[in-house]
PDB file of all heavy atoms in Angstrom:
ATOM      1  N   VAL P  82     -27.751 -33.101   2.357  1.00 98.00           N
ATOM      2  CA  VAL P  82     -28.730 -32.013   2.319  1.00 98.00           C
ATOM      3  C   VAL P  82     -28.084 -30.741   1.768  1.00 98.00           C
ATOM      4  O   VAL P  82     -28.695 -30.012   0.970  1.00 98.00           O
ATOM      5  CB  VAL P  82     -29.316 -31.763   3.721  1.00 98.00           C
ATOM      6  CG1 VAL P  82     -30.331 -30.624   3.671  1.00 98.00           C
ATOM      7  CG2 VAL P  82     -29.973 -33.026   4.250  1.00 98.00           C
ATOM      8  N   ILE P  85     -28.105 -31.009  -1.877  1.00 98.00           N
ATOM      9  CA  ILE P  85     -29.445 -30.775  -2.429  1.00 98.00           C
ATOM     10  C   ILE P  85     -29.713 -29.285  -2.560  1.00 98.00           C
ATOM     11  O   ILE P  85     -30.171 -28.796  -3.606  1.00 98.00           O
ATOM     12  CB  ILE P  85     -30.514 -31.444  -1.529  1.00 98.00           C
ATOM     13  CG1 ILE P  85     -30.432 -32.966  -1.654  1.00 98.00           C
ATOM     14  CG2 ILE P  85     -31.919 -30.948  -1.888  1.00 98.00           C
ATOM     15  CD1 ILE P  85     -31.268 -33.718  -0.639  1.00 98.00           C
ATOM     16  N   VAL P  86     -29.418 -28.537  -1.494  1.00 98.00           N
ATOM     17  CA  VAL P  86     -29.660 -27.082  -1.518  1.00 98.00           C
ATOM     18  C   VAL P  86     -28.795 -26.409  -2.581  1.00 98.00           C
ATOM     19  O   VAL P  86     -29.280 -25.564  -3.349  1.00 98.00           O
ATOM     20  CB  VAL P  86     -29.394 -26.474  -0.117  1.00 98.00           C
ATOM     21  CG1 VAL P  86     -29.489 -24.946  -0.172  1.00 98.00           C
ATOM     22  CG2 VAL P  86     -30.376 -27.031   0.911  1.00 98.00           C
ATOM     23  N   ARG P  87     -27.535 -26.794  -2.659  1.00 98.00           N
ATOM     24  CA  ARG P  87     -26.644 -26.199  -3.664  1.00 98.00           C
ATOM     25  C   ARG P  87     -27.107 -26.530  -5.081  1.00 98.00           C
ATOM     26  O   ARG P  87     -27.000 -25.701  -5.992  1.00 98.00           O
ATOM     27  CB  ARG P  87     -25.215 -26.688  -3.450  1.00 98.00           C
ATOM     28  CG  ARG P  87     -24.564 -26.143  -2.193  1.00 98.00           C
ATOM     29  CD  ARG P  87     -23.196 -26.752  -1.968  1.00 98.00           C
ATOM     30  NE  ARG P  87     -22.292 -26.397  -3.053  1.00 98.00           N
ATOM     31  CZ  ARG P  87     -21.332 -27.190  -3.524  1.00 98.00           C
ATOM     32  NH1 ARG P  87     -21.172 -28.410  -3.031  1.00 98.00           N
ATOM     33  NH2 ARG P  87     -20.550 -26.783  -4.488  1.00 98.00           N
ATOM     34  N   TYR P  89     -30.267 -27.148  -6.108  1.00 98.00           N
ATOM     35  CA  TYR P  89     -31.436 -26.299  -6.402  1.00 98.00           C
ATOM     36  C   TYR P  89     -30.997 -24.857  -6.676  1.00 98.00           C
ATOM     37  O   TYR P  89     -31.529 -24.186  -7.570  1.00 98.00           O
ATOM     38  CB  TYR P  89     -32.427 -26.333  -5.237  1.00 98.00           C
ATOM     39  CG  TYR P  89     -33.400 -27.495  -5.267  1.00 98.00           C
ATOM     40  CD1 TYR P  89     -33.454 -28.401  -4.207  1.00 98.00           C
ATOM     41  CD2 TYR P  89     -34.267 -27.680  -6.338  1.00 98.00           C
ATOM     42  CE1 TYR P  89     -34.349 -29.468  -4.217  1.00 98.00           C
ATOM     43  CE2 TYR P  89     -35.167 -28.747  -6.357  1.00 98.00           C
ATOM     44  CZ  TYR P  89     -35.197 -29.631  -5.302  1.00 98.00           C
ATOM     45  OH  TYR P  89     -36.078 -30.687  -5.319  1.00 98.00           O
ATOM     46  N   HIS P  90     -30.030 -24.394  -5.888  1.00 98.00           N
ATOM     47  CA  HIS P  90     -29.530 -23.036  -6.076  1.00 98.00           C
ATOM     48  C   HIS P  90     -28.932 -22.868  -7.465  1.00 98.00           C
ATOM     49  O   HIS P  90     -29.185 -21.870  -8.159  1.00 98.00           O
ATOM     50  CB  HIS P  90     -28.494 -22.718  -5.000  1.00 98.00           C
ATOM     51  CG  HIS P  90     -28.106 -21.279  -4.929  1.00 98.00           C
ATOM     52  ND1 HIS P  90     -26.806 -20.857  -4.711  1.00 98.00           N
ATOM     53  CD2 HIS P  90     -28.837 -20.139  -5.062  1.00 98.00           C
ATOM     54  CE1 HIS P  90     -26.768 -19.546  -4.709  1.00 98.00           C
ATOM     55  NE2 HIS P  90     -27.984 -19.084  -4.916  1.00 98.00           N
ATOM     56  N   THR P  94     -33.721 -22.600  -8.685  1.00 98.00           N
ATOM     57  CA  THR P  94     -35.022 -22.952  -8.085  1.00 98.00           C
ATOM     58  C   THR P  94     -34.866 -23.185  -6.579  1.00 98.00           C
ATOM     59  O   THR P  94     -35.330 -24.194  -6.049  1.00 98.00           O
ATOM     60  CB  THR P  94     -35.595 -24.212  -8.763  1.00 98.00           C
ATOM     61  OG1 THR P  94     -34.631 -25.287  -8.656  1.00 98.00           O
ATOM     62  CG2 THR P  94     -35.911 -23.962 -10.232  1.00 98.00           C
ATOM     63  N   LEU P  95     -34.202 -22.263  -5.915  1.00 98.00           N
ATOM     64  CA  LEU P  95     -33.901 -22.436  -4.493  1.00 98.00           C
ATOM     65  C   LEU P  95     -35.160 -22.563  -3.644  1.00 98.00           C
ATOM     66  O   LEU P  95     -35.168 -23.264  -2.630  1.00 98.00           O
ATOM     67  CB  LEU P  95     -33.047 -21.259  -4.010  1.00 98.00           C
ATOM     68  CG  LEU P  95     -32.476 -21.348  -2.601  1.00 98.00           C
ATOM     69  CD1 LEU P  95     -31.652 -22.613  -2.411  1.00 98.00           C
ATOM     70  CD2 LEU P  95     -31.617 -20.114  -2.300  1.00 98.00           C
ATOM     71  N   GLN P  96     -36.245 -21.893  -4.059  1.00 98.00           N
ATOM     72  CA  GLN P  96     -37.484 -21.977  -3.277  1.00 98.00           C
ATOM     73  C   GLN P  96     -38.008 -23.413  -3.219  1.00 98.00           C
ATOM     74  O   GLN P  96     -38.672 -23.796  -2.250  1.00 98.00           O
ATOM     75  CB  GLN P  96     -38.538 -21.042  -3.870  1.00 98.00           C
ATOM     76  CG  GLN P  96     -39.808 -20.918  -3.041  1.00 98.00           C
ATOM     77  CD  GLN P  96     -39.557 -20.459  -1.606  1.00 98.00           C
ATOM     78  OE1 GLN P  96     -38.695 -19.616  -1.349  1.00 98.00           O
ATOM     79  NE2 GLN P  96     -40.308 -21.018  -0.653  1.00 98.00           N
ATOM     80  N   GLU P  97     -37.677 -24.220  -4.231  1.00 98.00           N
ATOM     81  CA  GLU P  97     -38.095 -25.628  -4.204  1.00 98.00           C
ATOM     82  C   GLU P  97     -37.396 -26.368  -3.062  1.00 98.00           C
ATOM     83  O   GLU P  97     -37.975 -27.272  -2.451  1.00 98.00           O
ATOM     84  CB  GLU P  97     -37.788 -26.302  -5.541  1.00 98.00           C
ATOM     85  CG  GLU P  97     -38.691 -25.852  -6.682  1.00 98.00           C
ATOM     86  CD  GLU P  97     -38.484 -26.685  -7.938  1.00 98.00           C
ATOM     87  OE1 GLU P  97     -38.193 -27.886  -7.820  1.00 98.00           O
ATOM     88  OE2 GLU P  97     -38.619 -26.118  -9.039  1.00 98.00           O
ATOM     89  N   ALA P  98     -36.153 -25.983  -2.785  1.00 98.00           N
ATOM     90  CA  ALA P  98     -35.447 -26.589  -1.653  1.00 98.00           C
ATOM     91  C   ALA P  98     -36.124 -26.205  -0.345  1.00 98.00           C
ATOM     92  O   ALA P  98     -36.286 -27.049   0.557  1.00 98.00           O
ATOM     93  CB  ALA P  98     -33.987 -26.133  -1.646  1.00 98.00           C
ATOM     94  N   VAL P  99     -36.527 -24.939  -0.239  1.00 98.00           N
ATOM     95  CA  VAL P  99     -37.231 -24.480   0.966  1.00 98.00           C
ATOM     96  C   VAL P  99     -38.518 -25.279   1.159  1.00 98.00           C
ATOM     97  O   VAL P  99     -38.826 -25.751   2.269  1.00 98.00           O
ATOM     98  CB  VAL P  99     -37.539 -22.970   0.866  1.00 98.00           C
ATOM     99  CG1 VAL P  99     -38.458 -22.526   2.012  1.00 98.00           C
ATOM    100  CG2 VAL P  99     -36.240 -22.158   0.883  1.00 98.00           C
ATOM    101  N   SER P 100     -39.267 -25.460   0.088  1.00 98.00           N
ATOM    102  CA  SER P 100     -40.531 -26.199   0.178  1.00 98.00           C
ATOM    103  C   SER P 100     -40.290 -27.661   0.547  1.00 98.00           C
ATOM    104  O   SER P 100     -40.977 -28.222   1.410  1.00 98.00           O
ATOM    105  CB  SER P 100     -41.274 -26.118  -1.162  1.00 98.00           C
ATOM    106  OG  SER P 100     -41.578 -24.785  -1.494  1.00 98.00           O
ATOM    107  N   LEU P 101     -39.308 -28.281  -0.120  1.00 98.00           N
ATOM    108  CA  LEU P 101     -38.995 -29.689   0.146  1.00 98.00           C
ATOM    109  C   LEU P 101     -38.625 -29.906   1.615  1.00 98.00           C
ATOM    110  O   LEU P 101     -39.131 -30.812   2.285  1.00 98.00           O
ATOM    111  CB  LEU P 101     -37.849 -30.134  -0.755  1.00 98.00           C
ATOM    112  CG  LEU P 101     -37.235 -31.509  -0.452  1.00 98.00           C
ATOM    113  CD1 LEU P 101     -38.215 -32.621  -0.831  1.00 98.00           C
ATOM    114  CD2 LEU P 101     -35.916 -31.687  -1.205  1.00 98.00           C
ATOM    115  N   LEU P 102     -37.725 -29.070   2.123  1.00 98.00           N
ATOM    116  CA  LEU P 102     -37.230 -29.253   3.487  1.00 98.00           C
ATOM    117  C   LEU P 102     -38.287 -28.877   4.523  1.00 98.00           C
ATOM    118  O   LEU P 102     -38.367 -29.495   5.593  1.00 98.00           O
ATOM    119  CB  LEU P 102     -35.954 -28.436   3.681  1.00 98.00           C
ATOM    120  CG  LEU P 102     -34.769 -28.950   2.839  1.00 98.00           C
ATOM    121  CD1 LEU P 102     -33.660 -27.915   2.768  1.00 98.00           C
ATOM    122  CD2 LEU P 102     -34.233 -30.264   3.417  1.00 98.00           C
ATOM    123  N   SER P 103     -39.104 -27.880   4.226  1.00 98.00           N
ATOM    124  CA  SER P 103     -40.193 -27.513   5.144  1.00 98.00           C
ATOM    125  C   SER P 103     -41.193 -28.654   5.275  1.00 98.00           C
ATOM    126  O   SER P 103     -41.647 -28.980   6.386  1.00 98.00           O
ATOM    127  CB  SER P 103     -40.901 -26.245   4.647  1.00 98.00           C
ATOM    128  OG  SER P 103     -40.019 -25.140   4.640  1.00 98.00           O
ATOM    129  N   ARG P 104     -41.545 -29.277   4.139  1.00 98.00           N
ATOM    130  CA  ARG P 104     -42.469 -30.428   4.178  1.00 98.00           C
ATOM    131  C   ARG P 104     -41.852 -31.589   4.951  1.00 98.00           C
ATOM    132  O   ARG P 104     -42.531 -32.262   5.730  1.00 98.00           O
ATOM    133  CB  ARG P 104     -42.817 -30.868   2.750  1.00 98.00           C
ATOM    134  CG  ARG P 104     -43.697 -29.909   1.984  1.00 98.00           C
ATOM    135  CD  ARG P 104     -44.287 -30.577   0.748  1.00 98.00           C
ATOM    136  NE  ARG P 104     -43.253 -31.124  -0.128  1.00 98.00           N
ATOM    137  CZ  ARG P 104     -42.663 -30.449  -1.117  1.00 98.00           C
ATOM    138  NH1 ARG P 104     -43.014 -29.175  -1.345  1.00 98.00           N
ATOM    139  NH2 ARG P 104     -41.732 -31.012  -1.870  1.00 98.00           N
ATOM    140  N   GLY P 118     -30.369 -27.783   6.448  1.00 98.00           N
ATOM    141  CA  GLY P 118     -30.571 -27.476   5.032  1.00 98.00           C
ATOM    142  C   GLY P 118     -31.507 -26.305   4.823  1.00 98.00           C
ATOM    143  O   GLY P 118     -31.268 -25.445   3.962  1.00 98.00           O
ATOM    144  N   LEU P 119     -32.578 -26.254   5.614  1.00 98.00           N
ATOM    145  CA  LEU P 119     -33.520 -25.138   5.505  1.00 98.00           C
ATOM    146  C   LEU P 119     -32.842 -23.830   5.907  1.00 98.00           C
ATOM    147  O   LEU P 119     -33.028 -22.789   5.260  1.00 98.00           O
ATOM    148  CB  LEU P 119     -34.749 -25.406   6.375  1.00 98.00           C
ATOM    149  CG  LEU P 119     -35.872 -24.372   6.290  1.00 98.00           C
ATOM    150  CD1 LEU P 119     -36.372 -24.218   4.859  1.00 98.00           C
ATOM    151  CD2 LEU P 119     -37.028 -24.767   7.222  1.00 98.00           C
ATOM    152  N   ALA P 122     -30.658 -22.751   3.073  1.00 98.00           N
ATOM    153  CA  ALA P 122     -31.450 -22.169   1.978  1.00 98.00           C
ATOM    154  C   ALA P 122     -31.891 -20.749   2.320  1.00 98.00           C
ATOM    155  O   ALA P 122     -31.824 -19.844   1.473  1.00 98.00           O
ATOM    156  CB  ALA P 122     -32.660 -23.058   1.691  1.00 98.00           C
TER     157      ALA P 122
END
Side-chain angles (χ1 to χ4, degrees):
V82 180
I85 290 170
V86 174
R87 290 175 63 214
Y89 275 121
H90 191 220
T94 56
L95 188 56
Q96 187 57 38
E97 288 188 33
V99 171
S100 299
L101 170 71
L102 293 165
S103 297
R104 290 195 304 270
L119 184 58

